[in-house]
Amino acid sequence: MDERARKTLSARLKRARAKGLRIVMTGGVFDILHAGHVYTLNEAKKHGDLLVVVIARDEQLRKRKSREPVHSEEYRRMMVEFLKPVDIALVGLDEPRKMLELVKPDIIVYGYDQKPFLEPKGVKIVRLKKHIEEGKFKTNKIIKELGI
């Protein structure tokens, strides 16, 4: 994210806070969008007013999932941004704490299968318990079924 985009984002979030809006942040890879992602984002939005979704960088995917992304980080960001509950979609920064400092969320929402790795003081942490059919909507399963 360049400096201009960072300033624009900061100004938008500052205006939202001035209006008393609660900022929710969540994140993920979103390599192959599926109903589980959409469900999770809808649930996340219920916890606040403005939903910011952080898309994992390609390097993070290669490191954590030990595979190449099916779609580029920018393509994944764009697809997520098109979804109704999403107000802002961003490709993550090199360090998750830097994104936290930039967004300054009131609430962080983790999906049912995510481990909370950021739990800053003063920020409400929500771990979703509900999901759609355990194991059915999982990106790795879809990739395997498609033979990618």
Side-chain angles (χ1 to χ4, degrees):
M1 175 183 302
D2 66 19
E3 192 58 33
R4 183 175 178 202
R6 200 176 292 226
K7 285 181 180 181
T8 300
L9 173 65
S10 292
R12 182 173 178 191
L13 294 171
K14 187 176 181 178
R15 284 191 306 273
R17 277 189 209 88
K19 293 178 182 175
L21 300 179
R22 292 168 300 151
I23 298 170
V24 178
M25 186 171 84
T26 193
V29 176
F30 305 98
D31 202 13
I32 295 177
L33 278 179
H34 53 70
H37 290 133
V38 177
Y39 176 82
T40 297
L41 295 173
N42 274 307
E43 291 299 303
K45 179 71 176 228
K46 291 177 183 177
H47 291 277
D49 305 300
L50 189 119
L51 179 60
V52 177
V53 181
V54 180
I55 311 302
R57 298 184 63 88
D58 290 345
E59 309 95 72
Q60 292 170 321
L61 176 58
R62 289 181 190 106
K63 224 184 279 183
R64 287 193 277 143
K65 305 275 187 183
S66 301
R67 68 172 175 81
E68 284 296 312
V70 174
H71 300 290
S72 72
E73 59 195 29
E74 183 54 30
Y75 176 90
R76 293 182 280 126
R77 184 205 62 77
M78 182 179 62
M79 292 298 290
V80 168
E81 192 168 62
F82 287 144
L83 298 175
K84 186 176 181 177
V86 178
D87 297 294
I88 300 170
L90 309 163
V91 173
L93 300 173
D94 296 334
E95 187 64 39
R97 293 220 176 265
K98 290 180 185 174
M99 187 58 76
L100 184 68
E101 291 167 12
L102 180 63
V103 176
K104 297 179 181 106
D106 299 298
I107 302 146
I108 297 176
V109 175
Y110 290 98
Y112 80 95
D113 60 346
Q114 292 178 309
K115 291 183 176 101
F117 62 96
L118 289 174
E119 299 183 69
K121 265 188 150 177
V123 176
K124 181 179 177 182
I125 303 299
V126 174
R127 178 115 189 257
L128 299 177
K129 292 179 175 78
K130 292 164 71 175
H131 51 83
I132 301 175
E133 295 184 54
E134 177 90 41
K136 182 175 181 180
F137 296 105
K138 300 291 291 176
T139 302
N140 286 336
K141 183 178 180 183
I142 293 168
I143 287 173
K144 188 176 180 180
E145 288 174 358
L146 293 173
I148 298 174

